[in-house]
């Protein structure tokens, strides 16, 4: 049993690191290519965010299929995502670029819920395991951000997307090869989880509209405030936030195991609503310093913990798919922030985003005022990770 736990830990670490290096390469390069190189509008930039977010809309279904049919099979399908990601480096128009990005994200999202089910299968340890997974992922993001600047300056942006696709595919292979096999005794039902979901999903989606919208628009401001220097942008946009995030991820996970995902989620939302207007007001290197404050670990870990705790062990992939679906709804809604910035300016769009985040926090708080019934501990079940 100890050997199996050690094997799973190594799988988490290696798989999360490779995946996040790959995604960091894509995210740090794609914004620059679309907005600066292709000279697209904020509306087109937010269309990219919407297209990326569309991938998660079906994640709830992908997770359910994985729980009921085969989690390993869903990871195999996710490997197809390497093809459109590789082709991104050869697209010259903004429409083709956005289409390929959407396809890559959709295909990868098929595998994601089944991968994450492995992390949160035990409720009592789900927070700290999410912390380890996210922490290692943050370090991968830091490495990927630095690697993006090097590859872009020496070999060109097409190589960035090529390396990104290879690392993403390799990460899924790591999870696939090491996915353990046993059997789940199916005692619960998915309807219980789905009945608890709607109001929480509305609250998280509203908040994420503001978070995704403001962070994207302000990332372009950050690029200009740092003198349009790719290396500095990679450092402040990806490397430093990731390293600092990794340093607090595990502690955040332990904290979430003690107080619950709801509290951690609310803390993160209120923090975002306060910091985004501040980021708009400050300039130069001070914006970079404030940008790296690690709030995002609280948000993503809090939401993941909140959702996974509502689901019984046999439906953990469904729960983690619901996380992606909720965030995707919010991400697609963030597409509305782009036109606001184009027509009314950054200040107005950031103010609207902050109000949406606070409204989302209020909805989450109100939806959790009544006690939520948490399923029994996974220790009483025969758990399968290879259904």
């Amino acid at each position: 049993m100890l050997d199996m736990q050690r094997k799973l830990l190594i799988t988490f670490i290696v798989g999360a690191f490779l995946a996040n290096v790959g995604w960091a390469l894509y995210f740090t390069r794609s914004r620059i290519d679309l907005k600066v190189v292709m000279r697209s509008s904020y509306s087109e930039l937010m269309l990219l965010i919407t297209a990326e977010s569309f991938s998660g809309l079906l994640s709830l279904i992908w997770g359910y299929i994985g729980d009921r049919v085969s989690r390993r099979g869903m990871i195999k399908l996710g490997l197809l995502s390497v093809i459109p990601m590789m082709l991104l480096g050869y697209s010259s128009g903004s429409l083709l670029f956005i289409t390929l990005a959407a396809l890559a994200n959709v295909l990868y999202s098929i595998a994601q819920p089944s991968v994450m089910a492995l992390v949160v299968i035990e409720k009592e340890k789900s927070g700290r395991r999410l912390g380890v997974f996210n922490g290692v992922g943050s370090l991968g993001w830091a490495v990927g951000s630095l690697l993006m600047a090097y590859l872009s300056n020496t070999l060109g942006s097409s190589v960035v997307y090529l390396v990104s696709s290879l690392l993403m595919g390799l990460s899924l292979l790591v999870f696939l090869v090491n996915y353990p096999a046993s059997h789940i005794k199916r005692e619960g039902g998915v309807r219980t989880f789905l009945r608890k979901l709607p109001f929480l999903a509305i609250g998280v989606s509203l908040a994420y509209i503001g978070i995704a919208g403001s962070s994207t628009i302000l990332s372009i401001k950050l690029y200009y405030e740092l003198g349009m220097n790719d290396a500095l942008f990679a450092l402040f946009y990806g490397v430093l936030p990731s390293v600092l995030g990794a340093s607090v991820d595990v502690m955040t996970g332990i904290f979430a195991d003690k107080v619950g995902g709801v509290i951690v989620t609310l803390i993160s939302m209120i923090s975002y609503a306060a910091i985004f207007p501040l980021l708009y007001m400050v300039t130069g290197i001070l914006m970079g310093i404030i940008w790296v404050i690690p709030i995002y670990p609280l948000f993503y870990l809090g939401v993941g913990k909140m959702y996974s705790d509502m689901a019984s062990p046999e439906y953990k992939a469904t729960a983690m798919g619901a996380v992606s679906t909720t965030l995707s709804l919010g991400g697609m809604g963030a597409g509305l922030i782009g036109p606001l910035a184009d027509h009314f300016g950054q200040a107005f769009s950031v103010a609207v985003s902050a109000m949406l985040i606070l409204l989302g926090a209020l909805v989450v708080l109100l939806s959790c005022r009544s006690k939520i019934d948490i399923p029994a501990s996974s220790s009483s079940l025969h758990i399968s990770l290879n259904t």
Side-chain angles (χ1 to χ4, degrees):
M1 183 57 129
L2 183 60
D3 289 340
M4 175 60 70
Q5 293 295 323
R6 192 174 291 128
K7 182 180 179 181
L8 288 178
L9 180 61
I10 294 172
T11 299
F12 294 161
I13 292 172
V14 176
F17 182 79
L18 291 173
N20 279 272
V21 172
W23 280 113
L25 288 169
Y26 162 76
F27 275 103
T28 51
R29 186 66 236 176
S30 61
R31 274 64 180 157
I32 297 172
D33 282 342
L34 187 61
K35 186 69 179 74
V36 180
V37 178
M38 299 181 188
R39 299 182 181 278
S40 301
S41 66
Y42 281 115
S43 296
E44 288 175 306
L45 181 61
M46 296 313 299
L47 180 60
L48 172 65
I49 308 303
T50 303
E52 291 168 347
S53 300
F54 176 78
S55 65
L57 285 180
L58 298 176
S59 289
L60 178 62
I61 296 174
W62 301 144
Y64 181 72
I65 293 174
D67 284 333
R68 300 299 300 181
V69 181
S70 172
R71 293 175 182 167
R72 288 174 57 88
M74 302 305 278
I75 295 175
K76 291 176 183 177
L77 288 175
L79 287 167
L80 294 173
S81 61
V82 303
I83 299 173
M85 182 62 73
M86 191 180 302
L87 294 175
L88 268 176
Y90 304 97
S91 58
S92 55
S94 59
L95 182 59
L96 177 59
F97 186 91
I98 292 170
T99 301
L100 288 171
L103 185 57
N105 278 267
V106 167
L107 291 171
Y108 194 87
S109 73
I110 294 174
Q112 189 69 5
S114 293
V115 168
M116 295 307 298
L118 189 62
V119 181
V120 300
I121 198 71
E122 294 182 67
K123 176 191 164 187
E124 295 83 358
K125 299 178 180 179
S126 61
R128 66 198 69 188
R129 287 184 175 177
L130 277 171
V132 171
F133 187 88
N134 294 346
V136 173
S138 292
L139 293 177
W141 192 275
V143 172
S145 298
L146 281 175
L147 187 59
M148 184 283 293
Y150 172 77
L151 292 175
S152 294
N153 293 331
T154 58
L155 300 174
S157 62
S158 61
V159 177
V160 174
Y161 299 110
L162 173 63
V163 176
S164 172
S165 65
L166 294 176
L167 291 175
M168 287 163 50
L170 186 58
S171 74
L172 291 180
L173 285 175
V174 168
F175 285 112
L176 182 64
V177 170
N178 295 290
Y179 217 91
S182 54
H183 299 283
I184 285 181
K185 182 181 178 182
R186 299 190 181 280
E187 295 180 345
V190 73
R191 292 182 181 178
T192 303
F193 168 73
L194 294 178
R195 280 198 299 268
K196 301 170 183 176
L197 185 61
F199 285 108
L200 279 180
I202 291 171
V204 174
S205 293
L206 283 172
Y208 199 63
I209 290 174
I211 293 169
S214 271
S215 61
T216 301
I217 289 171
L218 289 169
S219 70
I220 301 302
K221 178 178 182 288
L222 178 67
Y223 184 66
Y224 286 114
E225 292 292 342
L226 295 174
M228 301 178 66
N229 184 301
D230 285 359
L232 271 180
F233 178 71
L235 179 66
F236 280 93
Y237 179 77
V239 178
L240 291 177
S242 300
V243 171
L244 291 173
S247 69
V248 302
D249 263 314
V250 176
M251 292 304 298
T252 301
I254 294 172
F255 179 61
D257 280 336
K258 291 182 178 179
V259 304
V262 175
I263 298 297
V264 176
T265 301
L266 290 173
I267 292 173
S268 70
M269 289 178 178
I270 294 169
S271 299
Y272 269 127
I275 206 168
F276 280 143
L278 182 60
L279 283 169
Y280 170 76
M281 290 185 287
V282 299
T283 59
I285 199 70
L286 181 58
M287 182 184 181
I289 293 172
I290 297 174
W291 181 274
V292 303
I293 296 174
I295 300 174
Y296 76 90
L298 280 74
F299 179 77
Y300 290 108
L301 194 149
V303 173
K305 172 72 174 171
M306 181 168 61
Y307 276 48
S308 67
D309 281 357
M310 293 194 301
S312 54
E314 60 267 35
Y315 289 108
K316 292 297 186 183
T318 304
M320 300 315 288
V323 172
S324 295
T325 297
T326 302
L327 296 181
S328 292
L329 288 170
M332 293 185 71
L336 299 173
I337 304 298
L340 289 179
D342 285 330
H343 293 288
F344 301 104
Q346 287 185 353
F348 183 79
S349 65
V350 170
V352 171
S353 295
M355 288 188 288
L356 287 172
I357 295 170
L358 291 175
L359 179 60
L362 179 62
V363 173
V364 170
L365 177 63
L366 292 176
S367 67
C368 295
R369 287 182 65 183
S370 57
K371 186 176 179 181
I372 298 176
D373 254 353
I374 302 297
S377 169
S378 59
S379 61
S380 63
L381 300 175
H382 302 288
I383 296 172
S384 170
L385 300 173
N386 182 31
T387 52

